């Protein structure tokens, strides 16, 4: 996606930290309300991916094509598509409050280096103070929801798991294949809780997850990126399976931990993830960042 | 970027493994040559980022706007920009040989788990058999090229380095800030060669690199992603500095290694990177993949 958020007063503001490669200079845009008063609006513009079915239209003669460079068999052009083939997804928040502007216009991100002690003193108490509901996870594990979406299950209550397509994946193409393995065992909040005791569970997820994806989708294990997030977005242990050629959100080095590496680390040292300093990014508006700042650690 | 490569015969081929988030279904396109014969062509279409200066034009009344959804202060539209504001970068290779089609149309990627032994037996002999020229690196270090681009230098021949903007960064905005630290010392090919002996060098790069970027560009160390690639693209030790909010190519978990983690690992075990299994992806056409396949390791 190419995103651009507009703001009248922040023409030189730095980019939004959304997880795409697009640049997003910010410009606040004056929008006139019914009263004629200029009020702030947030306008988000996104260039959408090409639609395969519209490509032949895009290349038809009535599309303007301007030669830029030609060298041997290579040439480059500027192609100016007709409006109906270059739709821009536009989202408007109007009138926008200061809070909206904050939310959309800039979100600084900060890298945290969390020691084992920081986890115990800052992160763990914070997680415990929040009552994150993970009922939706239990619903999946208990088959009271999404039972028909399950791709594979190992029913063992201690070392078993459920493999299910992630909601971000529509299952229509393999390009952005994305599945999640959710362990049956409760109480493993994240990477930080893992010890050598969990090796059988982790090995099951790695091995059976790959086999199930090969069988159902024809994608080999060597073409999968299999990893955990730290911090995770919910505190019940789960593992991400994405197509290696897909630049999935959250697969960058400051958030993703390859399951194979996690297994190696636990084999090397059963307490690896209790001791190790882990790095992750927090947005300026995240409550956990404030906790680290209060502790003088960010 | 939104990329689409076209091929007539591979309408259902899986995506290209380019390092962007866009999906790229492939369609080979018939292009008629002067003789009237249909020959193969590769056509690459890329939606380009928004230009800040054209935004006000984009939002002027003559642009068609179609309401899609409205709810309270939020609404979404389809915006149909005039052709001159929705340029698509188009690259044509014509006539295209089978080799071009291979190069552009599909490149499977495979994950390799390289043990310390694999490195010694497969990767290292391969690197040594190739005569990769890194004269351009020496030119930078010796100031015979790009001397005016140097942001910071520690001239120590053993623990010093040069910090220079990466060519991918035009230095016009901080959104995609990208610099490279290149060590003065020769002969450190990659992460695999690092031992505790190199800790002073690595700490200098981390500390002075952050300071220099703060001083010159006003970007704090906590907003930088600082990492090494494995495999690197050239075999002289260098470290990447990118804006944390920028989804830089090559920052995903199967290629990037945070410099802070590298330092921690070497402090823990001076031989960490000689022993450790490292994961990386190789494209189907890379010679190193063939070596791993011949050894029965991929």
């Amino acid at each position: 996606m190419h995103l651009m958020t507009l703001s009248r007063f922040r023409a030189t503001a730095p980019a939004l930290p959304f997880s795409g490669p697009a640049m997003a200079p910010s410009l606040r845009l004056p929008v006139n309300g019914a009263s004629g008063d200029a009020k702030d609006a947030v306008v988000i513009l996104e260039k959408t991916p090409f639609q395969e079915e519209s490509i032949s239209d895009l290349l038809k003669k009535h599309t303007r094509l301007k030669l830029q460079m030609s060298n041997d068999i290579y040439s480059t052009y500027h192609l100016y598509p007709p409006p109906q083939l270059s739709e821009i997804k536009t989202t408007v928040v109007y009138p926008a409050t200061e809070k909206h502007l904050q939310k959309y216009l800039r979100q600084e991100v900060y890298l945290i280096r969390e020691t084992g002690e920081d986890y115990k003193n800052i992160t763990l108490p914070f997680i415990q103070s929040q009552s994150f509901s993970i009922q939706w996870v239990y619903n999946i594990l208990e088959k009271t929801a999404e039972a028909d979406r399950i791709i594979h299950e190992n029913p063992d209550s201690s070392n078993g798991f459920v493999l299910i397509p992630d909601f971000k994946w529509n299952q229509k193409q393999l390009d952005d294949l994305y599945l999640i393995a959710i362990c049956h065992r409760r109480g493993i909040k994240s990477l930080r809780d893992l010890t050598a005791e969990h090796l059988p569970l982790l090995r099951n997820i790695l091995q059976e997850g790959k086999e199930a994806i090969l069988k159902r989708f024809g994608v080999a294990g060597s073409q999968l990126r299999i990893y955990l997030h730290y911090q995770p977005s919910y505190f019940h242990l789960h593992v991400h399976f994405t197509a290696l050629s897909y630049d999935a959100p959250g697969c960058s080095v400051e958030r993703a931990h390859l399951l194979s590496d996690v297994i190696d680390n636990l084999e090397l040292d059963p307490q690896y993830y209790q001791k190790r300093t882990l790095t992750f990014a927090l947005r300026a508006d995240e409550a956990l960042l404030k906790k680290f700042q209060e502790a003088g650690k960010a």
Side-chain angles (χ1 to χ4, degrees), chain A residues 1 7 40 57 70 97 111 184 222 224 245 253:
Chain A
M1 287 187 304
S7 150
D40 285 321
D57 282 346
S70 179
T97 65
L111 214 56
H184 271 301
S222 62
L224 295 173
S245 55
V253 62

Side-chain angles (χ1 to χ4, degrees), chain A residues 6-46:
Chain A
L6 302 135
S7 150
R8 182 170 41 174
F9 303 119
R10 301 186 194 190
T12 59
L16 297 171
F18 53 78
S19 61
M23 299 298 87
S26 298
L27 280 169
R28 192 180 294 182
L29 189 83
V31 174
N32 292 311
S35 66
D37 295 337
K39 289 183 187 168
D40 285 321
V42 171
V43 179
I44 300 166
L45 304 176
E46 294 175 48

Side-chain angles (χ1 to χ4, degrees), chain A residues 158-262:
Chain A
S158 183
N159 299 323
F161 69 99
V162 159
L163 181 71
I164 198 163
D166 189 275
F167 272 116
K168 287 185 280 298
W169 184 38
N170 65 10
Q171 299 184 62
K172 285 184 184 162
Q173 63 288 315
L174 299 176
D175 314 64
D176 56 345
L177 175 142
Y178 202 142
L179 296 100
I180 296 282
I182 304 174
C183 74
H184 271 301
R185 185 162 164 181
R186 300 190 183 188
I188 313 173
K189 291 184 287 305
S190 76
L191 200 57
R192 279 285 187 202
D193 285 341
L194 291 177
T195 66
E197 174 199 1
H198 304 105
L199 281 168
L201 166 65
L202 299 174
R203 291 186 191 121
N204 285 347
I205 292 176
L206 183 63
Q207 190 56 37
E208 295 175 29
K210 285 200 274 194
E211 285 166 5
I213 289 172
L214 177 61
K215 198 174 159 192
R216 175 70 75 97
F217 302 107
V219 177
S222 62
Q223 305 198 279
L224 295 173
R225 185 191 294 112
I226 307 172
Y227 54 100
L228 290 82
H229 277 162
Y230 190 75
Q231 300 279 337
S233 51
Y234 51 96
F235 292 92
H236 176 106
L237 193 80
H238 57 284
V239 175
H240 305 254
F241 290 71
T242 59
L244 185 56
S245 55
Y246 170 46
D247 189 14
C251 75
S252 62
V253 62
E254 70 273 16
R255 189 165 190 202
H257 297 258
L258 289 175
L259 179 55
S260 301
D261 287 345
V262 171

Side-chain angles (χ1 to χ4, degrees), chain A residues 14-15 21 25 50 102 144 154 162 175 181 198 206 220-221 233 267 284 290:
Chain A
F50 288 105
Q102 284 302 329
T144 58
N154 175 329
V162 159
D175 314 64
H198 304 105
L206 183 63
S233 51
E267 285 171 347
K290 212 178 160 198

Side-chain angles (χ1 to χ4, degrees), chain A residues 113-125 192 230 271-280 292 297:
Chain A
R113 294 266 302 155
E114 179 200 73
T115 64
E117 287 302 303
D118 291 340
Y119 176 73
K120 276 181 232 150
N121 299 331
I122 304 170
T123 309
L124 181 60
R192 279 285 187 202
Y230 190 75
Q271 304 297 311
Y272 186 94
Y273 287 103
Q274 285 76 59
K275 297 186 287 195
R276 181 62 194 231
T277 295
L278 297 175
T279 298
F280 51 86
F292 271 85
K297 303 276 188 170

Side-chain angles (χ1 to χ4, degrees), chain A residues 48-61:
Chain A
T48 52
F50 288 105
Q51 299 292 315
E52 199 169 323
E53 55 274 19
S54 68
I55 291 299
S56 58
D57 282 346
L58 198 61
L59 293 160
K60 272 183 186 156
K61 287 195 198 86

